[in-house]
Amino acid sequence: MQTKKLNEFPKDFLWGSSSAAFQIEGAAYEDGKGLSVMDVRKIKPEICDYSVASDHYHRYKEDIALMKECGLKAYRFSIAWTRIFPNGNGEVNPKGVAFYNDLIDELVKNGITPIVTIYHFEYPQGLIDQYGGWIDRRSIEDYVNYASFLFKTYGDRVKYWLTINEQDHVVHMPFRLGLTDENRREKEKLGFLANHNMCVATALAIEKCHELVEGGKIGPATCFETMYPTTNDPLDSLACMDAMEIRNYYLLDLTIKGEYNGTFRRYLEDRDMMPEIHPGDMEAMKANKPDFLAFNYYYSESISAFPLDDEHEIGDIEFKLLPSREAGIYQVVRNENLKATLWGWEIDEVGLQLAARLLWERYRLPLLITECGFGNKEVWPEEGILEDDDRIDYLTRHIRAVKEAMNVGVDFIGFCSWSFIDLISGHSGFSKRYGFVFVNRDEHDLKDMARRKKKSFYWYQKTIAENGENI
Ligand code: BG6
């Protein structure tokens, strides 16, 4: 809706940026860190591994000084589980504990609010070796112990916690569960079993956070892909609604309402994928509601119906990174109204406003954007600075969408861009950059790792200084 006036951002709005340990820290084999599923993942030769990343482990003071200069109010980062517990459970690694103590102290000293993701994709390989990881019930206790250790150790300074990053993606990506990528259709069943265990684990961790961290707030960091029916054929609308239920809402309904929604339950039962529910599981989820809902938003999807026919039966599913079509339900198709990034992610700030409004209406929890950003191939020019106008444009539009959602009553805590400095992409190595600060390295040539401010650095600095009035 176009309105006469647009409200200002609140004075305490958390302007921030995000990262994840394995994508930024490097030092993958240093100071007693154990291996995670990301460290052992087979990587295509043209793409770098995670061993050095942006070398933030050794340069965090320099990076935080840049955050301070930019004016960041918050920095969202993850703790590498295996720096704290190299095997995932058992012995604590004091050097890993000290690293995050120092990092948090440095942020606090510089007036930057730490927002900590407890676990961002890098599941301990040790737990996979011991019992298979999330697909085993023992994973619940190990996650809760690990989270409780973090609450006790850092909870005096960290008041914002995120349980699991993009659990909805982990569920559909076998390698993130420590499983092989073969036969992904069969792996879906294990994925939903893991999902159930993660939901129980995070519910218990929410309880612990409230018990152990004075004034602590905790929520999930999910990914949300807004979906549109491709045409006004009613069957496309139905497909879109079904896809929203089984791809987006199922997880939040479990985490926030403590229930398997009707569509999702039928979906699982039809495919013999319903996990066993143990006594107390649903009660734990119901009793421990998050304090806020964080979500990552990059693109929307256009959905068409995909009816069963002679060649397709229930259970037929195809994947790109995520499921891309499921017989009898939906298929994702190209949206001709939208431009896309070099990686085909369709750029759609309206989708962000819709996501915010849909989530607010369904869950009535304050929202926090934990990731939103523009990935691009970038080379530092011989003269001047890197003018990343596409990134500025993308972020301006998406922040404006947050402002518009707030204008119609949605409660937002803050906006964290992905990312502050360049780091390794989840799937595309160092060639897909997201930062306001360029890191001088290539895919395999580590160069000098120097940090250089891009044009967007100055734009974000101004945006924060003016509290978004320029948007
Ligand atoms: C989110 C993840 O899915 O998207 C991040 O939480 C990831 O870890 C980001 O880096 C962007 O994805 P990609 O593949 O472009 O790095």
Side-chain angles (χ1 to χ4, degrees):
M1 170 167 70
Q2 291 174 304
T3 58
K4 279 190 181 167
K5 128 175 202 295
L6 211 52
N7 293 342
E8 300 301 316
F9 285 101
K11 289 279 167 277
D12 57 355
F13 191 73
L14 290 176
W15 296 100
S17 285
S18 284
S19 70
F22 74 99
Q23 293 173 275
I24 193 170
E25 285 178 4
Y29 312 108
E30 265 179 58
D31 288 345
K33 179 180 164 293
L35 295 180
S36 80
V37 295
M38 301 311 295
D39 297 313
V40 302
R41 184 187 173 197
K42 261 215 157 70
I43 294 186
K44 294 186 207 139
E46 63 272 23
I47 286 180
C48 63
D49 63 25
Y50 301 102
S51 56
V52 181
S54 308
D55 198 28
H56 180 68
Y57 188 79
H58 299 113
R59 297 172 194 239
Y60 69 93
K61 286 198 176 163
E62 181 186 352
D63 294 338
I64 292 173
L66 284 163
M67 291 177 201
K68 163 99 173 156
E69 185 185 338
C70 190
L72 251 57
K73 306 277 187 226
Y75 175 48
R76 178 237 177 179
F77 62 96
S78 72
I79 290 185
W81 188 332
T82 58
R83 267 196 212 289
I84 307 292
F85 290 102
N87 276 321
N89 54 12
E91 290 287 303
V92 172
N93 172 31
K95 286 191 176 165
V97 176
F99 171 69
Y100 294 109
N101 260 323
D102 293 347
L103 178 72
I104 291 165
D105 284 346
E106 192 69 14
L107 287 168
V108 173
K109 196 169 93 192
N110 284 285
I112 301 170
T113 301
I115 301 176
V116 170
T117 316
I118 295 169
Y119 148 60
H120 190 130
F121 298 157
E122 40 192 326
Y123 195 73
Q125 184 60 34
L127 299 183
I128 305 287
D129 297 340
Q130 287 172 53
Y131 52 71
W134 281 120
I135 56 174
D136 187 286
R137 292 282 292 189
R138 281 171 280 184
S139 60
I140 298 174
E141 196 186 339
D142 283 332
Y143 173 84
V144 178
N145 283 340
Y146 161 59
S148 302
F149 180 85
L150 301 188
F151 299 146
K152 283 188 222 151
T153 311
Y154 306 119
D156 55 336
R157 288 150 292 159
V158 178
K159 302 299 173 188
Y160 286 100
W161 294 89
L162 300 162
T163 51
I164 296 185
N165 180 70
E166 294 187 352
Q167 183 175 321
D168 47 324
H169 283 200
V170 176
V171 166
H172 294 293
M173 294 187 195
F175 76 91
R176 291 199 165 136
L177 291 167
L179 304 168
T180 64
D181 273 328
E182 285 128 39
N183 204 348
R184 285 186 68 179
R185 177 174 165 169
E186 298 301 315
K187 299 284 167 47
E188 287 285 284
K189 183 169 181 169
L190 294 176
F192 288 118
L193 171 60
N195 182 62
H196 184 81
N197 292 339
M198 286 188 242
C199 287
V200 179
T202 51
L204 298 176
I206 290 172
E207 187 176 21
K208 287 285 180 199
C209 180
H210 290 151
E211 209 176 283
L212 298 169
V213 182
E214 209 189 317
K217 290 186 191 314
I218 183 162
T222 187
C223 195
F224 196 90
E225 283 101 25
T226 305
M227 295 173 176
Y228 303 108
T230 303
T231 70
N232 60 5
D233 179 343
L235 288 177
D236 282 354
S237 285
L238 193 60
C240 183
M241 187 169 184
D242 285 338
M244 288 282 271
E245 295 289 341
I246 61 168
R247 286 268 312 276
N248 284 323
Y249 292 131
Y250 76 97
L251 175 59
L252 293 170
D253 284 353
L254 281 165
T255 312
I256 299 169
K257 298 180 173 178
E259 65 188 36
Y260 277 85
N261 73 48
T263 315
F264 184 48
R265 182 179 278 275
R266 167 55 52 206
Y267 171 80
L268 294 176
E269 285 171 355
D270 269 3
R271 289 157 182 77
D272 187 28
M273 296 198 297
M274 187 71 197
E276 186 186 346
I277 298 177
H278 289 236
D281 286 359
M282 302 316 292
E283 290 74 9
M285 289 182 220
K286 258 198 193 353
N288 297 295
K289 207 175 157 169
D291 303 292
F292 59 87
L293 193 176
F295 69 105
N296 303 342
Y297 178 87
Y298 290 90
Y299 56 82
S300 59
E301 287 184 340
S302 183
I303 301 292
S304 296
F306 181 27
L308 298 174
D309 56 24
D310 290 347
E311 282 157 39
H312 297 100
E313 56 178 23
I314 289 197
D316 282 356
I317 178 168
E318 286 171 30
F319 301 87
K320 289 202 173 138
L321 272 177
L322 291 165
S324 56
R325 60 181 203 163
E326 288 219 47
I329 317 178
Y330 75 100
Q331 55 187 320
V332 180
V333 300
R334 169 94 181 90
N335 187 337
E336 301 301 337
N337 298 297
L338 300 174
K339 289 190 186 145
T341 68
L342 293 176
W343 286 266
W345 293 14
E346 291 171 355
I347 301 171
D348 178 22
E349 67 278 6
V350 175
L352 175 55
Q353 189 192 155
L354 285 167
R357 291 171 63 173
L358 289 167
L359 291 170
W360 174 249
E361 289 310 327
R362 190 154 171 149
Y363 303 111
R364 276 287 189 268
L365 283 176
L367 303 179
L368 170 67
I369 303 278
T370 33
E371 288 181 32
C372 182
F374 181 76
N376 208 0
K377 291 194 175 166
E378 291 170 333
V379 177
W380 194 264
E382 291 200 354
E383 278 177 31
I385 63 167
L386 198 149
E387 306 216 348
D388 51 342
D389 292 301
D390 287 347
R391 175 165 301 111
I392 295 173
D393 182 55
Y394 179 99
L395 286 169
T396 304
R397 288 162 183 272
H398 285 75
I399 294 173
R400 171 115 186 157
V402 169
K403 207 174 185 179
E404 284 170 350
M406 292 174 88
N407 200 43
V408 293
V410 178
D411 185 3
F412 258 105
I413 302 171
F415 179 94
C416 293
S417 73
W418 184 268
S419 56
F420 183 71
I421 66 171
D422 288 340
L423 37 72
I424 302 185
S425 144
H427 303 277
S428 313
F430 223 90
S431 309
K432 189 180 189 186
R433 294 171 185 264
Y434 280 94
F436 300 131
V437 175
F438 186 89
V439 173
N440 190 35
R441 66 160 285 185
D442 284 344
E443 212 61 70
H444 295 296
D445 181 355
L446 296 177
K447 298 189 178 169
D448 60 5
M449 292 277 192
R451 276 56 174 152
R452 297 172 185 163
K453 291 170 247 174
K454 305 180 194 174
K455 188 174 172 185
S456 58
F457 177 95
Y458 299 101
W459 165 83
Y460 203 45
Q461 187 181 49
K462 180 174 154 66
T463 301
I464 299 173
E466 295 180 5
N467 203 31
E469 263 180 52
N470 56 329
I471 300 289

